[in-house]
Amino acid sequence: MELLIKGGKLVDPSNKQNSVKDIYIKDGLIKSVGKDLGETLKKGINAIDAKGLIVAPGFVDLHTHLREPGREDEETIATGTRAAAKGGFTSICCMPNTNPVVDNKSVVDFIKEKARSEGIVKVFPVGAITKGLNGRELAEMADLADAGVVGFSDDGESVMDSRLMRRALEYSKMFDLPLMVHSEDKNLTRDGQINEGYWSTALGLKGMPSQAEEIMVARDISLLSLTGGRIHIAHTSASESVDIIRKAKNDGLKVTCEATPHHLTLNDEYLRNFDTSGKVNPPLRSKKDIEALIEALADGTIDVVATDHAPHTLSEKEKEFDLAPFGVIGLETAFSVLFTELVKKKLLSFSGLIEALSTKPASIIGVKSGIKEGSPADLTVIDEKRKFKVEDFISKSSNSPFKGRELEGKVIYTIVDGKVVFEE
Ligand code: DOR
């Protein structure tokens, strides 16, 4: 199968691509990148006219909840991968808090098989750190590594036992896989609903202090200096965490981290009307935290953007605030939200956003990416000028705090292994 992407502006800082060129794809790989390639190719080849459009490396999401197996009413591998494709994601890592939990090889095999038969983007399972996410006993980490997980996480839960966390780090180091940690001191956040601060008091909701995150980030980085290995801090939300991560990076520790589009753009005031589509864990924080996150994304302290796409049904989210589950969806809006809110407002460079969505996350899980000859033809084509209103979702769930928002910049094509899997 051949495909020519003609005349798009390539944006891939990791391969020093920043000009108008063609991309010729054959058998799922990028065969050549250059000017006017069409003229040297035989006639009649499938082509996409990308004039006036941006061509970027395919986006890679390190943090997606696909909900299958167990909660297919919220999302499935089929619908989640289609939502991903619409958002420009060519690869997604799925979190292990399914039912059953991804804590043994058979569940990894099930997800991989389903992804092969029903998915339309690449799916990389993340294995659990502890059995059933119970925080007491390590999962079969060697078995999981053998089955092909790209990291370990108890996402949604914290490994509160520091001794167990130390062991998990030692094991993960043997496989050179990151621990993708959910940093939350559960004793400090118990019964909490939103960020602890002015709005938790004003709304009469129990608060979750940012120190709950800071303490666990500090603990895990301290353990990392003891054991070695790799830690990836999931959904970083607090300015204090950013300071600790920045110092750890300066000290040469192998720590990476992500921030979500919602934590980068919404503060806890969003919840003033008790809108549960903004109820998420970690909670939306303060304006000061957002400023720190944006600065850290711009200076590279925050390596990547990840969605934490966490689908929940309407009936679950329509409950009273403190009974509704935590989680927001994000795959379909991530790029456009950040392009509109950060790039257009000159808080982040366009190439910085592209890197944080594509080649940087790919390198954390060791996946080949980027616009260069020999790479898999995983590409995202964007119209910077397209304006639209966030209305319909491909995801089975619609718990998005961005519903109804007017955004700018839209994914027009998503291409996986040379095949167009989404076309606007
Ligand atoms: O808000 C969240 N929802 N945070 C998590 O860590 C888990 C996720 C979920 O699975 O719904």
Side-chain angles (χ1 to χ4, degrees):
M1 227 176 58
E2 294 169 284
L3 179 67
L4 180 68
I5 304 178
K6 273 168 65 107
K9 180 172 178 207
L10 313 191
V11 176
D12 175 7
S14 70
N15 286 296
K16 301 197 170 35
Q17 296 285 7
N18 191 26
S19 62
V20 172
K21 282 184 190 155
D22 296 344
I23 301 177
Y24 171 55
I25 295 163
K26 190 162 188 253
D27 301 329
L29 299 177
I30 296 177
K31 273 277 167 205
S32 44
V33 181
K35 289 216 180 290
D36 303 320
L37 291 180
E39 285 161 25
T40 60
L41 295 170
K42 64 178 186 293
K43 296 269 174 294
I45 188 172
N46 245 351
I48 288 177
D49 180 6
K51 197 157 165 253
L53 303 177
I54 303 284
V55 184
F59 299 162
V60 177
D61 188 22
L62 297 184
H63 198 142
T64 300
H65 295 273
L66 283 176
R67 303 294 191 221
E68 189 172 4
R71 287 305 304 269
E72 292 82 354
D73 54 331
E74 294 181 328
E75 197 76 283
T76 63
I77 290 169
T79 58
T81 56
R82 279 162 182 79
K86 181 178 162 196
F89 291 92
T90 54
S91 290
I92 54 178
C93 299
C94 59
M95 284 292 149
N97 61 341
T98 46
N99 186 10
V101 167
V102 188
D103 59 6
N104 64 77
K105 185 174 183 308
S106 64
V107 192
V108 179
D109 291 344
F110 168 83
I111 292 171
K112 286 186 147 188
E113 184 43 45
K114 270 260 164 168
R116 237 190 318 269
S117 58
E118 293 172 19
I120 64 166
V121 304
K122 297 174 185 175
V123 174
F124 295 98
V126 174
I129 299 174
T130 66
K131 278 191 183 154
L133 311 180
N134 67 13
R136 290 189 300 275
E137 197 183 345
L138 289 185
E140 308 286 347
M141 291 173 80
D143 250 18
L144 289 166
D146 204 40
V149 299
V150 291
F152 301 97
S153 179
D154 269 8
D155 189 57
E157 300 295 330
S158 253
V159 181
M160 289 299 299
D161 180 337
S162 305
R163 186 166 177 272
L164 199 65
M165 189 63 178
R166 172 190 182 163
R167 292 278 172 261
L169 264 166
E170 286 166 344
Y171 273 105
S172 63
K173 186 181 169 188
M174 292 198 289
F175 319 118
D176 191 26
L177 290 174
L179 288 190
M180 301 159 122
V181 291
H182 174 113
S183 310
E184 177 187 357
D185 184 324
K186 289 272 178 183
N187 298 314
L188 266 178
T189 57
R190 193 170 305 149
D191 302 325
Q193 300 297 322
I194 72 170
N195 181 46
E196 184 167 318
Y198 172 84
W199 283 104
S200 63
T201 308
L203 299 173
L205 292 168
K206 192 153 188 314
M208 303 159 92
S210 55
Q211 282 74 9
E213 180 177 292
E214 177 191 0
I215 287 168
M216 296 306 271
V217 169
R219 181 204 69 173
D220 289 344
I221 284 173
S222 177
L223 286 174
L224 187 67
S225 67
L226 174 69
T227 59
R230 281 203 283 150
I231 280 192
H232 175 77
I233 313 275
H235 42 47
T236 312
S237 68
S239 67
E240 296 87 349
S241 310
V242 169
D243 294 339
I244 297 169
I245 294 165
R246 189 176 281 120
K247 180 175 179 307
K249 287 190 164 196
N250 284 336
D251 292 345
L253 292 172
K254 286 191 188 165
V255 56
T256 55
C257 68
E258 69 190 33
T260 69
H262 46 277
H263 289 115
L264 283 159
T265 59
L266 299 173
N267 64 60
D268 47 0
E269 188 179 350
Y270 176 89
L271 301 163
R272 64 191 307 165
N273 297 324
F274 298 92
D275 179 354
T276 58
S277 63
K279 180 177 177 182
V280 66
N281 188 16
L284 301 178
R285 301 278 185 199
S286 68
K287 288 188 181 138
K288 169 186 121 244
D289 293 300
I290 295 186
E291 278 163 24
L293 291 182
I294 295 174
E295 189 191 341
L297 182 60
D299 74 18
T301 302
I302 291 177
D303 302 82
V304 307
V305 168
T307 68
D308 193 4
H309 177 85
H312 292 289
T313 61
L314 205 58
S315 60
E316 291 174 292
K317 276 290 198 182
E318 271 183 346
K319 293 193 173 129
E320 287 159 52
F321 197 90
D322 43 4
L323 298 178
F326 292 98
V328 308
I329 59 167
L331 286 169
E332 295 169 63
T333 50
F335 168 78
S336 306
V337 164
L338 295 175
F339 182 73
T340 308
E341 294 297 325
L342 303 191
V343 177
K344 291 299 283 181
K345 294 181 180 167
K346 302 207 179 316
L347 299 168
L348 180 69
S349 69
F350 183 66
S351 58
L353 175 59
I354 295 296
E355 271 194 300
L357 279 166
S358 60
T359 45
K360 281 187 170 182
S363 76
I364 290 173
I365 53 165
V367 161
K368 256 185 141 184
S369 117
I371 305 181
K372 61 171 182 288
E373 286 161 26
S375 272
D378 293 348
L379 299 163
T380 300
V381 181
I382 297 157
D383 185 348
E384 282 180 285
K385 303 209 169 62
R386 181 77 70 92
K387 295 193 171 133
F388 69 103
K389 189 172 174 184
V390 179
E391 272 165 333
D392 303 316
F393 293 99
I394 288 185
S395 168
K396 271 199 169 184
S397 299
S398 57
N399 48 310
S400 165
F402 301 109
K403 220 178 322 180
R405 283 276 279 269
E406 304 277 352
L407 298 178
E408 201 168 340
K410 196 168 194 321
V411 170
I412 303 294
Y413 295 99
T414 303
I415 298 163
V416 176
D417 287 333
K419 188 169 159 228
V420 177
V421 294
F422 171 78
E423 182 174 351
E424 167 67 32

